Amino acid sequence: MWDVAVVGAGPAGLAAAREAALAGARTVVLERAMHPRYKTCGGGLIGGSLAALDALPEIPIRDRIRAATFTHNGRRRIERRAPAPVLAMARRDELDDALRRAAVEAGAVVRQRTVVRAVEQDAECGYARLADGTRIAARTVIGADGSSGVSARHVGVHFGQVDLGLEVELLVPEPVAGSWRGRVLIDWGPLPGSYGWVFPKEDRLTVGVIAGRGQGERTRAYLRAFLHRLGLAGVPAEHDSGHLTRCRDDSAPLRRGRVLVAGDAAGLLEPWTREGISYALRSGAAAGRAAASADLARYEREITNTLVPEMRAGRRILAAFVRHPGVFHAALATRPGWREFTRFCRGEMSFATHADRLPVRLALAALGRGEVGAQRGEVEDFPAQGQTAPTPDIEHRPPAPSRHDAR
């Protein structure tokens, strides 16, 4: 009998395990893979993530970002620079492994290559049923195995927003890596609600795009065009992956009896940027504290009071961005717009605080009238037989003369 069993050893699960173990709870983590393992993720750490990681001694940071380039479907280039870093870059395999070590040092037991097939419970215990049929019993089970995992299904989490992210990890030579050092690129994309990014991590570039689910081929076309105009289309991909991000409805449960869900399993991420690491770390830590105290309703209260308002504000911002991405792009060319962006990235201001200011609230209401889903184009990934897929409005340019000159 364990006090706490955690399903999944990503940021949410390991943050939960560390907090529970520090509070004296006998804690076990069940992870299907073996750390360190690759995970599709941009790896950008905003202020909220860095604050949550501050107590850990060894978090490998691969770059600190002081400059940003913004484009609107490859056009209208804006260059901005800050005197102090606004983001930190980490590789997820290294970040997660550091979190695993911290959980173990706190007293948690981490069992890797352990596949959980189902989460169950009765009046006395929660259970994680393993692939071999055995069950791990605990007074509380924390599900942190992703939005498509067994924990979310057991709790009954339902999602109001689903997006498709595509990403490649490129191992680049030093001239290319050097041209990106300390700088990210954000491109507001051609599909409603979409954007692309380039995140540097020393000798690697993480390049990705994200858009609403149901536009699979157009999203893939966006990634191809994005790489082409950056002069990176010919660089072999060390990793090439895709994933769905799922944001919860406000009415979605965070708990069922003795089972809590945190991070992606709870659908906790920022709807506009789809940033999830800070949400995973904060919700996981809250779940671990609640489980150790045996006051599981405490977790629901904490998430409702902290992360849910952030997500509501993010949905309002996304609704406006879907309809008027050019306004957002133009705002970043202004000093106030860049200042607000850097304050959010550093964790000096939340989306909820920003969106509740009267001028911003009125502007978002005016810009965001209409249903987000209708504006994002809810269509099938592939056309029916005999039909032609719609052609995305993607600018095609010849590649840069030299890949070593790509910016």
Side-chain angles (χ1 to χ4, degrees), residues 47 86 108 168 185 218 273 278 339 402:
V86 297
V168 293
L185 183 146
R218 299 180 75 194
T273 64
S278 70
R339 183 175 63 246
S402 168

Side-chain angles (χ1 to χ4, degrees), residues 113-134:
R113 292 180 177 160
T114 302
V115 178
V116 176
R117 294 295 189 198
V119 171
E120 302 161 347
Q121 61 179 306
D122 57 27
E124 302 297 327
C125 296
Y127 303 94
R129 179 161 54 81
L130 307 184
D132 63 3
T134 61

